[in-house]
Amino acid sequence: MGFGVLKVSGPRMEILEIGVLRMEKMKDPAIKLKHIFEETIKIIDTHCPDELAIEAPFFGKNVQSMLKLGRAQGVAIAAALSRGLPISEYSPRKIKLSVTGSGNSSKEQVAAMLQQLFSIANLPKFLDATDALAVALCHHFQNGNGNSISKKAGGWKSFLNENPGRLAENAVMKKRK
């Protein structure tokens, strides 16, 4: 499970933490859910975010995978609710559209866009981390706190031309100063 913590202060965005919770060595599904809950609580308690944004479940062909994903998302949501955080959900298409200007972007394209936007020297090994950051950024954009790249005619190139300072500035959770 990927996670990203984004701090927003006025027009400035800063990545506080980005990573992935690894659970492949855990055999018991209930222990995996407990781990997700505990680690989500740790992240929340460390960064004290104002909100949690999460990718909405998507419907695939594998019902078992969808069920496991829904349980994991439910546990992360429960952890946030236990700390009093409001929750927002965004579809994978909306996240991609908001970050890259195309709802059909690949994980690699989303990661590359985030790498440029936040001047990330080395991308994380697992793209689940950049996916989580994309959720945080989408949430920021969707709440009227900035311009979604998809709102700019011409996509990324036009966005950069109209916002040259954005590459120099440095999204899931958002914290205000």
Side-chain angles (χ1 to χ4, degrees):
M1 182 182 92
F3 65 91
V5 182
L6 183 63
K7 180 179 179 180
V8 178
S9 300
R12 183 159 170 73
M13 296 181 289
E14 175 186 0
I15 299 170
L16 295 182
E17 186 175 7
I18 183 172
V20 175
L21 301 181
R22 306 285 306 186
M23 294 167 280
E24 62 273 342
K25 293 183 180 180
M26 298 175 188
K27 300 298 179 207
D28 185 344
I31 298 299
K32 289 181 181 183
L33 294 175
K34 180 178 184 259
H35 182 71
I36 291 169
F37 184 86
E38 291 171 347
E39 291 300 312
T40 303
I41 290 290
K42 281 183 193 175
I43 294 165
I44 292 168
D45 289 349
T46 298
H47 297 289
C48 302
D50 297 319
E51 316 169 283
L52 180 125
I54 193 164
E55 184 176 22
F58 54 91
F59 301 99
K61 294 179 182 178
N62 187 330
V63 176
Q64 285 299 316
S65 293
M66 191 170 57
L67 179 61
K68 290 175 186 176
L69 176 63
R71 287 177 177 164
Q73 289 172 322
V75 168
I77 289 169
L81 290 172
S82 77
R83 293 299 194 253
L85 297 180
I87 311 296
S88 296
E89 289 186 287
Y90 300 96
S91 72
R93 181 171 175 76
K94 184 166 203 75
I95 294 163
K96 292 173 186 178
L97 183 64
S98 182
V99 173
T100 68
S102 171
N104 296 319
S105 298
S106 68
K107 285 179 169 276
E108 292 78 13
Q109 289 170 317
V110 170
M113 183 69 72
L114 293 169
Q115 185 174 27
Q116 291 295 316
L117 187 62
F118 290 101
S119 301
I120 301 170
N122 297 311
L123 285 174
K125 181 178 178 182
F126 299 100
L127 295 180
D128 293 330
T130 51
D131 285 350
L133 183 61
V135 175
L137 184 60
C138 172
H139 180 65
H140 173 65
F141 287 156
Q142 295 304 312
N143 284 295
N145 302 313
N147 291 318
S148 168
I149 290 166
S150 66
K151 292 179 182 177
K152 300 291 182 184
W156 179 238
K157 188 173 182 178
S158 293
F159 175 81
L160 286 179
N161 287 336
E162 294 174 25
N163 300 280
R166 290 298 289 270
L167 275 179
E169 296 176 4
N170 291 345
V172 229
M173 297 180 226
K174 180 175 87 171
K175 182 177 179 175
R176 292 186 196 103
K177 198 169 189 179

